[in-house]
Amino acid sequence: MGNDDVKGAYSGNNSDTKESNIGSDKIGAPVRRTSRKSSGKTTHNEANMEVLLEIREDLSITVQNVQTVGEEQEDPELTLLAKKTLEKKSSSSLGSSLFGSTSQHIRQVSQDLIRLASHTRTSFTSKRFNHVELAAVQALKGLKFITTEKNDWSAVEKRFDEFTSSTNGLLLSAKFGECIGMNNSKEFASELFRALARKYKASGGDCICCTINKAQLKDFWDQISDESFDSRLRTFFDMIDKDADGIITKNEVKEIISLSASANKLSNIQKQAEEYAEFIVEVLDPDQVGYIKVHNLETLLLQATNQSVRTGERQSLIQSLCQDLEPTKEKNLLRRWYQKIKYFLMDNWQRVWIVMLWFGIVSGLFAYKYLQYRNKAAYEVMGYCLCIAKGGAETLKFNMALILLPICRNTITWLRNKTKLGLAVPFDDNLNFHKVIAAGIAIGVVLHSGAHLICDFPRLIQASEDEYEPMKPYFGEEQPENYWWFLKGVEGVTGIIMVVLMAIAFTLATPWFRRSATLKVPKPFKRFTGYNAFWYSHHLFVIVYALLVVHGFYLYLTKIWYQKTTWMYLAVPVLLYACERLIRTFRSRFKPVNILKVVVYPENVLALHMFVPCGFKYKSGQYMFVKCPTISPFQWHPFSITSAPGDGDLSVHIRKLGDWTLQLNSVFSKVCKPAPGGRSGVLIAQGGGNDPGFPNILIDGPYGAPAQDYKKYDVVLLVGLGIGATPMISIVKDIINNMEKEDNSLESALENGTANNRNSNKVSPLIKTRKAYMYWVTKEQRSFEWFREIMNEVAEMDKKRVIELHNYCTSVYEEGDARSALISMLQSLQYAKNGVDVVSDTHVKSHFARPNWRQVYKRISFLHPQSRIGVFYCGAPTAVKEIRQLASEFSHNGSTKFDFHKENF
């Protein structure tokens, strides 16, 4: 069999093409098959799909190219899906049956490709419709009032019985929303109730607007749960048409916009309800009669019904092809467990070997000390308890020394930036490892103090004179008679103080106390929670380390100085940590930075824009510490840097989440004034040459963070929740700046006399990244104000479409819900006409509800096969588990690999 390949082209729409020809060709003879085209002009339903195949020496078939013949454009997602599906289906055939089996698979898949090609062509023909009208139609395609999957009539009936137990079987209108499952939209539910009541009464019923019985509720339920779109559209129209005259005026549209905006917590839209109402009426009133009728909406719907159906079918077909590419679940339990363990080790091998090394050292030290005291005379009196106490003490000394290293941030930043240790050492998990060591210290304290107090001290007190005789060189001529003898000594006093101080520090470092917002405590005790309490209590360890050295010097059973090893364990780590603190002190130079501008945004976010200090060199994704001596002369707080190295300033965005940030926001708000241009809730103050009375700000950094490694990847997925978008904003800006520099370098090289040979001027890329997907998820509409200018700037500068921005507002109900239908239509109309999103007020169109992360991963994996994607997450821990698990799942089950990274402060 020769090295030549067989390449063939298969036309999907050609039903009379003979598949047997594929198998009858001789291996090694290049053959190209083209489809017979119909005479005359190609219709919209006749789309030619050309599939270019390659038959390799091992009889496997790969797809070289898939394209729609005669199309001006092709759908890259469709092409990629078709290629992967054909490769998967055709590579399983072997031997003489390969060609017949493969042709059967190709024939099966080709039918789907014909339909997909037809839908692709339809997307071009849809341009004959007014794109603004189509936007309105697409927004109204759902109109679900309730979700019946988990909210059926039996559940509604049960709630009805509960609510009417004291009202003689009559449901109050105020309880209607809660009864049907609209707990968080009572105003919207009340309006829906009134609309249904008007309709019910008009049809001859005796319904009154304040109460209904179960039969009437069932009638209402049947109407709002009707799967017919026409019925749902009619109900929605009735909600708007409050006077039931069959027409909708601008004022009625304004009221329903205000109601919908209130239900979705969109305060800005609520303020502009009249303006938006006029806009909607203008679009949906083609005859300019001054009002809207239901047939206006129906006409728009019918105009593009074919388009909507085809779009839905296309998505269904794509999902079907995606399902073919998903692996089947392993049925064997043992193999499934083996796969889980294997995948866990593959994803966490750096963490695993570090933890195992630490555990091995700790176990070895415990065993060493245990055996050492097992062979001493004191063992005969104090028993195994003495061995356990001394073993625990040895692990304590080691862990108290080691716990300082993960918080030596300058050292860790230098190691990750200047050495290759980052390939094997997970520097990004330094704080997690710090917590693991803290748990080891807690266990050591329990073993050491517990064994002494509960076991070996009582045995020593109860020992006979003969048994105590060998103990006199260590405990004195007089045998201890009670616990007080041990507690009043230096060893006892220092031990008790250390245990108390560590208990306080450990307790206030827990998430419940550190994040006081989640802990409900009486007001007098509130001051003992929050970041301040954590920060100050952690500095009690200065006293603990001093007492530890003293405690280690006055030992009962060790009298020789070089056998007292506590100071030996602590010397180097304490010295290194002390140098770290000195570096931080001198680097801040006790001189405040010059503040360029301060902006106080809605939702309690403060943006500080500063001049970049001399020698302050940072990377996008890194963070720095900020101190405000006016609030506290000691506290340093970490914040991600939101500016990019190419920007003219240095900026951080600080959200009010605790006591320190609350005071910082307060002191800067006092010197700010309302922003010009009517930006609601925004305060601003300019610095520079002016002196508006800013409090002094000191900075320290920069420090390394996981997000700074984005440059290692061709493609990155950036996920930010709330204020967690700050490092992602810096990365996005950095990518745009570097792309612009590359373009300028190329233009400069071409202008320097070598423009005739463009290929000889290969400008080396500044960064590896060539595509970025950013997902920003926030709860409130006003949060988009934080980075509005940056979003618009990126959208305008990104000429190559390198950055794909996705904003999600979780306060808005998902697409298809009646509560967000009018908002969705308004958004589509406004964006289609002006290119501005009504939710975020940027050029980036916002999505509603939460992202479907599985679909996000699936889409990226299909668009970037055989690639390694960097996934960077920053924000609340709520979504970490799902995003990390999906990254692992898609990495193991597909050709696209996802490396997950999470920010840790």
Side-chain angles (χ1 to χ4, degrees):
M1 191 174 293
N3 294 328
D4 295 331
D5 298 327
V6 176
K7 292 184 179 181
Y10 175 78
S11 177
N13 75 312
N14 214 347
S15 60
D16 57 352
T17 301
K18 297 179 181 179
E19 287 99 358
S20 60
N21 288 340
I22 300 178
S24 64
D25 294 324
K26 291 183 179 180
I27 303 297
V31 176
R32 177 175 292 274
R33 299 219 178 276
T34 56
S35 61
R36 303 182 208 163
K37 295 183 180 179
S38 309
S39 60
K41 192 174 182 179
T42 304
T43 64
H44 296 311
N45 293 327
E46 293 176 338
N48 296 320
M49 182 64 68
E50 183 183 87
V51 182
L52 188 63
L53 305 176
E54 176 183 352
I55 303 179
R56 297 176 175 172
E57 293 183 2
D58 59 356
L59 299 182
S60 64
I61 292 180
T62 59
V63 180
Q64 294 297 314
N65 189 31
V66 180
Q67 64 181 6
T68 306
V69 179
E71 291 288 349
E72 296 178 3
Q73 301 180 24
E74 68 177 66
D75 187 339
E77 185 175 353
L78 167 61
T79 301
L80 185 56
L81 284 171
K83 288 179 67 175
K84 295 180 74 172
T85 304
L86 280 171
E87 287 179 359
K88 181 177 179 180
K89 289 179 176 292
S90 57
S91 62
S92 60
S93 303
L94 295 173
S96 60
S97 63
L98 172 117
F99 300 106
S101 174
T102 301
S103 62
Q104 183 179 359
H105 287 310
I106 293 176
R107 182 172 65 251
Q108 177 185 350
V109 178
S110 66
Q111 300 303 319
D112 289 340
L113 298 182
I114 293 171
R115 297 169 65 191
L116 287 169
S118 173
H119 299 319
T120 304
R121 180 178 288 275
T122 305
S123 65
F124 293 102
T125 63
S126 65
K127 293 179 181 178
R128 68 181 64 182
F129 297 111
N130 186 307
H131 66 289
V132 178
E133 293 179 350
L134 283 179
V137 173
Q138 291 298 320
L140 285 174
K141 64 187 179 182
L143 280 179
K144 288 185 178 179
F145 290 93
I146 43 88
T147 303
T148 56
E149 287 81 357
K150 297 182 179 179
N151 191 25
D152 55 12
W153 168 247
S154 60
V156 175
E157 187 177 24
K158 182 179 179 181
R159 288 194 289 267
F160 176 88
D161 294 336
E162 293 176 359
F163 296 152
T164 60
S165 59
S166 60
T167 57
N168 298 322
L170 294 177
L171 180 69
L172 299 175
S173 60
K175 288 288 186 178
F176 177 74
E178 190 175 353
C179 187
I180 65 172
M182 286 188 175
N183 298 357
N184 300 323
S185 310
K186 293 183 179 180
E187 292 183 8
F188 190 91
S190 297
E191 198 60 51
L192 175 61
F193 177 87
R194 285 189 285 269
L196 293 170
R198 288 194 298 268
K199 183 176 181 179
Y200 189 87
K201 191 172 184 179
S203 63
D206 57 353
C207 173
I208 57 177
C209 291
C210 57
T211 60
I212 55 174
N213 57 36
K214 183 181 290 187
Q216 292 167 336
L217 176 64
K218 182 63 167 66
D219 207 31
F220 285 11
W221 177 260
D222 291 339
Q223 292 181 53
I224 62 178
S225 61
D226 192 337
E227 294 297 327
S228 168
F229 178 79
D230 291 338
S231 175
R232 295 199 299 267
L233 181 62
R234 183 72 247 184
T235 303
F236 186 69
F237 189 89
D238 290 339
M239 283 187 62
I240 308 175
D241 184 21
K242 294 185 178 181
D243 53 8
D245 58 358
I247 62 174
I248 301 176
T249 63
K250 186 182 76 172
N251 288 334
E252 289 175 325
V253 175
K254 174 186 174 183
E255 290 183 21
I256 196 67
I257 288 177
S258 297
L259 188 63
S260 299
S262 175
N264 292 280
K265 300 178 182 179
L266 300 175
S267 56
N268 292 349
I269 293 180
Q270 198 169 4
K271 294 176 183 177
Q272 297 176 271
E274 185 170 357
E275 176 186 342
Y276 289 140
E278 186 174 349
F279 179 46
I280 288 179
V281 172
E282 177 186 343
V283 173
L284 300 185
D285 178 21
D287 300 327
Q288 297 183 351
V289 295
Y291 54 82
I292 306 171
K293 287 189 175 183
V294 71
H295 75 82
N296 294 127
L297 298 179
E298 291 174 337
T299 300
L300 286 174
L301 176 68
L302 291 175
Q303 277 184 332
T305 296
N306 188 49
Q307 166 71 13
S308 300
V309 171
R310 287 179 179 273
T311 302
E313 288 182 355
R314 180 180 182 276
Q315 293 300 322
S316 298
L317 287 170
I318 289 178
Q319 291 179 4
S320 177
L321 290 173
C322 291
Q323 293 299 325
D324 283 339
L325 299 174
E326 292 182 354
T328 56
K329 187 177 181 180
E330 177 61 55
K331 295 181 179 179
N332 187 290
L333 182 61
L334 293 178
R335 290 182 180 177
R336 194 157 65 240
W337 275 102
Y338 167 75
Q339 288 180 349
K340 287 183 178 181
I341 295 173
K342 181 181 72 173
Y343 292 151
F344 175 80
L345 293 176
M346 289 172 60
D347 294 337
N348 301 280
W349 66 271
Q350 292 177 313
R351 300 180 182 91
V352 169
W353 88 264
I354 288 291
V355 172
M356 292 301 294
L357 176 63
W358 168 78
F359 184 77
I361 294 175
V362 170
S363 301
L365 290 173
F366 182 89
Y368 160 72
K369 213 63 178 179
Y370 185 97
L371 294 175
Q372 183 183 42
Y373 276 83
R374 175 68 176 78
N375 298 317
K376 288 193 174 185
Y379 172 78
E380 301 299 331
V381 178
M382 308 175 78
Y384 289 104
C385 301
L386 175 64
C387 301
I388 294 174
K390 290 300 181 179
E394 200 70 13
T395 65
L396 261 175
K397 290 185 285 186
F398 172 73
N399 284 329
M400 288 293 289
L402 185 64
I403 200 170
L404 294 174
L405 300 184
I407 54 176
C408 292
R409 301 175 188 269
N410 288 296
T411 303
I412 291 176
T413 300
W414 183 86
L415 289 174
R416 67 175 296 151
N417 291 341
K418 302 297 183 181
T419 70
K420 298 294 184 180
L421 288 176
L423 299 174
V425 180
F427 289 119
D428 296 336
D429 288 330
N430 61 319
L431 292 186
N432 290 332
F433 189 48
H434 179 78
K435 296 173 184 177
V436 170
I437 300 171
I441 290 175
I443 295 173
V445 168
V446 171
L447 291 177
H448 180 67
S449 59
H452 273 324
L453 296 176
I454 298 175
C455 189
D456 58 11
F457 284 174
R459 293 187 61 169
L460 185 65
I461 294 172
Q462 298 172 6
S464 62
E465 292 184 4
D466 292 338
E467 291 174 336
Y468 181 75
E469 186 66 27
M471 298 291 101
K472 289 182 179 181
Y474 307 110
F475 294 96
E477 294 294 330
E478 297 292 331
Q479 182 177 354
E481 298 180 354
N482 50 45
Y483 274 113
W484 177 246
W485 189 93
F486 296 101
L487 298 180
K488 68 180 181 179
V490 175
E491 302 91 331
V493 172
T494 55
I496 292 173
I497 294 176
M498 283 192 294
V499 170
V500 171
L501 294 181
M502 284 194 286
I504 294 173
F506 283 9
T507 301
L508 296 180
T510 57
W512 302 281
F513 283 89
R514 184 174 178 177
R515 299 173 181 173
S516 57
T518 61
L519 185 68
K520 305 300 180 182
V521 296
K523 193 171 182 180
F525 298 97
K526 198 72 175 178
R527 68 181 63 183
F528 299 108
T529 64
Y531 189 86
N532 280 351
F534 156 77
W535 195 89
Y536 285 113
S537 65
H538 246 55
H539 282 74
L540 293 175
F541 275 97
V542 175
I543 302 174
V544 171
Y545 276 98
L547 293 177
L548 182 61
V549 174
V550 174
H551 185 83
F553 184 79
Y554 290 92
L555 296 178
Y556 291 120
L557 299 175
T558 303
K559 301 301 181 181
I560 304 175
W561 72 269
Y562 58 81
Q563 292 180 348
K564 301 175 181 182
T565 57
T566 302
W567 66 273
M568 299 180 187
Y569 277 100
L570 299 179
V572 174
V574 169
L575 181 62
L576 179 62
Y577 182 74
C579 291
E580 285 264 341
R581 297 303 295 260
L582 287 175
I583 290 173
R584 289 179 59 175
T585 301
F586 286 113
R587 188 162 54 189
S588 64
R589 301 191 183 101
F590 301 100
K591 182 180 179 180
V593 293
N594 293 320
I595 298 178
L596 181 63
K597 182 175 67 173
V598 174
V599 185
V600 180
Y601 291 107
E603 303 301 322
N604 301 313
V605 168
L606 169 71
L608 298 178
H609 297 263
M610 301 158 277
F611 289 103
V612 183
C614 182
F616 190 93
K617 297 181 179 180
Y618 66 96
K619 300 178 181 179
S620 287
Q622 292 186 328
Y623 68 97
M624 66 182 186
F625 282 85
V626 176
K627 181 171 76 170
C628 181
T630 304
I631 300 173
S632 171
F634 305 109
Q635 292 184 47
W636 291 91
H637 293 257
F639 299 101
S640 295
I641 301 172
T642 49
S643 56
D647 295 345
D649 62 348
L650 175 69
S651 65
V652 291
H653 285 64
I654 303 171
R655 187 171 189 181
K656 186 175 69 176
L657 293 174
D659 37 20
W660 187 87
T661 52
L662 171 63
Q663 295 177 61
L664 187 71
N665 189 292
S666 177
V667 295
F668 275 103
S669 296
K670 293 177 181 178
V671 297
C672 293
K673 298 179 180 179
R679 294 174 62 181
S680 176
V682 178
L683 304 176
I684 190 170
Q686 296 289 343
N690 302 325
D691 185 17
F694 291 143
N696 291 337
I697 292 293
L698 302 176
I699 64 172
D700 173 51
Y703 292 101
Q708 76 177 63
D709 294 331
Y710 83 93
K711 293 184 179 181
K712 299 178 181 178
Y713 300 93
D714 292 322
V715 182
V716 293
L717 171 59
L718 311 173
V719 181
L721 266 62
I723 199 63
T726 48
M728 313 311 168
I729 290 293
S730 176
I731 291 173
V732 165
K733 293 171 66 178
D734 194 38
I735 292 175
I736 294 298
N737 291 342
N738 281 288
M739 290 291 180
E740 189 176 12
K741 289 180 182 178
E742 289 178 12
D743 292 341
N744 294 337
S745 298
L746 180 58
E747 291 178 5
S748 177
L750 292 173
E751 290 174 357
N752 289 334
T754 55
N756 294 329
N757 186 5
R758 187 182 180 93
N759 292 331
S760 64
N761 294 284
K762 294 182 179 179
V763 178
S764 58
L766 298 176
I767 57 174
K768 190 177 180 181
T769 308
R770 284 298 175 268
K771 186 67 177 179
Y773 301 88
M774 177 178 168
Y775 285 78
W776 182 23
V777 185
T778 185
K779 293 181 180 179
E780 301 292 340
Q781 177 191 18
R782 300 177 69 187
S783 302
F784 290 116
E785 187 73 36
W786 305 342
F787 306 117
R788 189 181 70 174
E789 295 89 348
I790 298 173
M791 291 287 180
N792 287 330
E793 181 183 352
V794 170
E796 293 173 3
M797 293 178 60
D798 187 17
K799 301 294 192 302
K800 298 180 179 179
R801 298 294 181 264
V802 175
I803 312 295
E804 194 172 295
L805 300 174
H806 297 271
N807 295 337
Y808 282 81
C809 186
T810 60
S811 69
V812 185
Y813 289 94
E814 62 185 359
E815 183 181 357
D817 194 297
R819 286 165 286 189
S820 62
L822 203 65
I823 301 299
S824 180
M825 182 170 63
L826 174 61
Q827 180 195 46
S828 299
L829 291 171
Q830 179 81 342
Y831 198 83
K833 185 175 182 179
N834 302 320
V836 177
D837 180 61
V838 296
V839 178
S840 64
D841 197 24
T842 67
H843 296 309
V844 181
K845 192 173 182 179
S846 300
H847 305 278
F848 299 163
R850 289 176 172 81
N852 185 330
W853 294 115
R854 179 171 293 277
Q855 293 300 325
V856 171
Y857 274 94
K858 184 179 290 186
R859 176 172 176 266
I860 294 176
S861 63
F862 285 142
L863 294 177
H864 303 281
Q866 309 296 331
S867 300
R868 183 167 290 278
I869 314 293
V871 182
F872 297 91
Y873 176 87
C874 184
T878 51
V880 171
K881 184 177 180 181
E882 180 184 7
I883 296 175
R884 179 188 282 118
Q885 285 182 347
L886 286 172
S888 177
E889 178 183 332
F890 276 82
S891 296
H892 300 149
N893 297 332
S895 63
T896 308
K897 308 303 178 185
F898 293 89
D899 294 339
F900 180 83
H901 306 270
K902 177 184 175 295
E903 293 290 318
N904 294 298
F905 286 139

